[in-house]
Amino acid sequence: MQTSNISTSSKPMPTLFVPHGAGPCFFMDWNPSHAWDATARFLKSIAASLPAKPKAIVLISGHWLEDEFRVTGGAQPGLIYDYNGFPAHTSELRYPAPGHPALAARIVELLSAAGMSASRDDERGYDHGVFIPLKLMFPEAQIPVVQLSLRNDLDPQALLDAGQALAGLRDEGVLIVGSGMSFHNMRGYGDARFGPISDEFDAWLSSAVESEPSQRNAALLAWAQAPSARLCHPPRGEEHLLPLMVAAGAGSDAGGRKLFSDRIMETTLSAFGFGFDKRETTH
């Protein structure tokens, strides 16, 4: 089955895992004021690094968990302002990107064919793990977006498998994006003691991503045994790391590498990509 309005690209789209920041951090004053500037610049640079403008975007956010895989199926999803304690104007942000019901149906078919339970949610909107980074990546909000949930069991194998089931969409011009944080221990942000801890895990994660694909997948599946892993992602709190598994699985045999890294709130945060041409990591 071919998805309507998605044409075959001469070069497969790469896949991404990006930091989506702290709430609406890119659209408000922060202390220190420059804290998120480098991350914002990186997100804004992504469109120019792609082989073509995406025909559609499939985004996996750390803020949507369900018992089975779910996909947004509405034609014009709204926004979910799932953050609190931020300035009032951040609950008025807009990102009117259309949905893509045909692509949503296709994703359900692909996951189901791979033996995974999946269904559409035609009522759900985009949470801030979707619209906050996309406002920087594709501010025109014209590219159709479908959000894919995580699963409540937080099984990395299932997420890697889901990515592999969707890998063929890359050949049709679909950009697959994991949106989360490479470090996500709320107690660690702003605490200098977590700097070396985040560095240790980030070094391991970078090495794992840049390994040969079969070794990469095996390492990522065993991420919880990595140095300082559970200090960076406490038990049952790894939902911000796991979108990386979908991006890696969808990356298939493409090489992976770190695309961006910065020190924010005393911790190291990084972005990774699969199938990108070689270039220097940005900071």
Side-chain angles (χ1 to χ4, degrees):
M1 172 185 174
Q2 292 296 315
T3 302
S4 60
N5 300 323
I6 297 181
S7 60
T8 301
S9 172
S10 59
K11 183 177 181 181
M13 276 288 166
T15 69
L16 287 159
F17 173 75
V18 301
H20 62 229
C25 60
F26 306 111
F27 303 98
M28 56 179 283
D29 293 332
W30 202 269
N31 185 19
S33 60
H34 63 274
W36 294 100
D37 288 358
T39 306
R41 286 194 298 272
F42 164 70
L43 292 171
K44 290 176 180 178
S45 77
I46 287 173
S49 73
L50 300 175
K53 183 178 179 179
K55 301 294 184 183
I57 298 167
V58 176
L59 193 146
I60 305 90
S61 163
H63 289 277
W64 187 18
L65 287 85
E66 297 281 358
D67 289 339
E68 64 174 3
F69 287 113
R70 299 272 278 166
V71 293
T72 55
Q76 193 67 56
L79 302 187
I80 302 172
Y81 300 99
D82 52 342
Y83 42 71
N84 297 299
F86 294 99
H89 77 268
T90 62
S91 294
E92 299 176 357
L93 295 171
R94 296 290 179 263
Y95 194 74
H100 198 319
L103 178 58
R106 176 85 180 282
I107 291 169
V108 169
E109 288 185 359
L110 290 170
L111 294 175
S112 299
M116 290 170 273
S117 181
S119 61
R120 282 173 46 169
D121 185 335
D122 292 350
E123 302 302 321
R124 183 181 167 88
Y126 305 134
D127 62 54
H128 82 271
V130 180
F131 71 84
I132 291 297
L134 288 184
K135 277 182 71 69
L136 295 172
M137 294 166 64
F138 302 101
E140 70 282 358
Q142 294 175 350
I143 300 172
V145 178
V146 173
Q147 183 176 356
L148 172 65
S149 77
L150 297 175
R151 284 195 345 194
N152 279 321
D153 60 8
L154 301 178
D155 179 5
Q157 182 70 66
L159 294 165
L160 190 75
D161 292 346
Q164 291 173 339
L166 302 181
L169 295 176
R170 296 171 53 215
D171 294 320
E172 301 174 19
V174 177
L175 179 65
I176 297 174
V177 181
S179 171
M181 299 282 266
S182 61
F183 175 95
H184 196 253
N185 182 340
M186 300 303 290
R187 297 195 309 170
Y189 290 128
D191 186 339
R193 294 174 296 178
F194 278 81
I197 290 169
S198 67
D199 291 341
E200 184 175 42
F201 181 68
D202 189 82
W204 176 88
L205 191 59
S206 301
S207 177
V209 164
E210 292 171 2
S211 298
E212 183 274 330
S214 63
Q215 297 176 359
R216 171 181 86 210
N217 292 347
L220 291 176
L221 291 176
W223 75 269
Q225 282 73 57
S228 297
R230 282 306 187 185
L231 291 173
C232 296
H233 298 277
R236 296 299 304 172
E238 61 262 37
E239 74 284 342
H240 275 64
L241 177 67
L242 291 182
L244 173 62
M245 307 300 167
V246 184
S252 189
D253 293 332
R257 63 188 181 86
K258 182 187 290 186
L259 300 177
F260 167 82
S261 191
D262 195 21
R263 194 70 149 203
I264 304 173
M265 296 184 291
E266 304 289 353
T267 62
T268 295
L269 296 176
S270 296
F272 301 94
F274 304 89
F276 280 87
D277 294 332
K278 287 287 186 182
R279 64 184 175 93
E280 293 297 318
T281 300
T282 58
H283 296 271

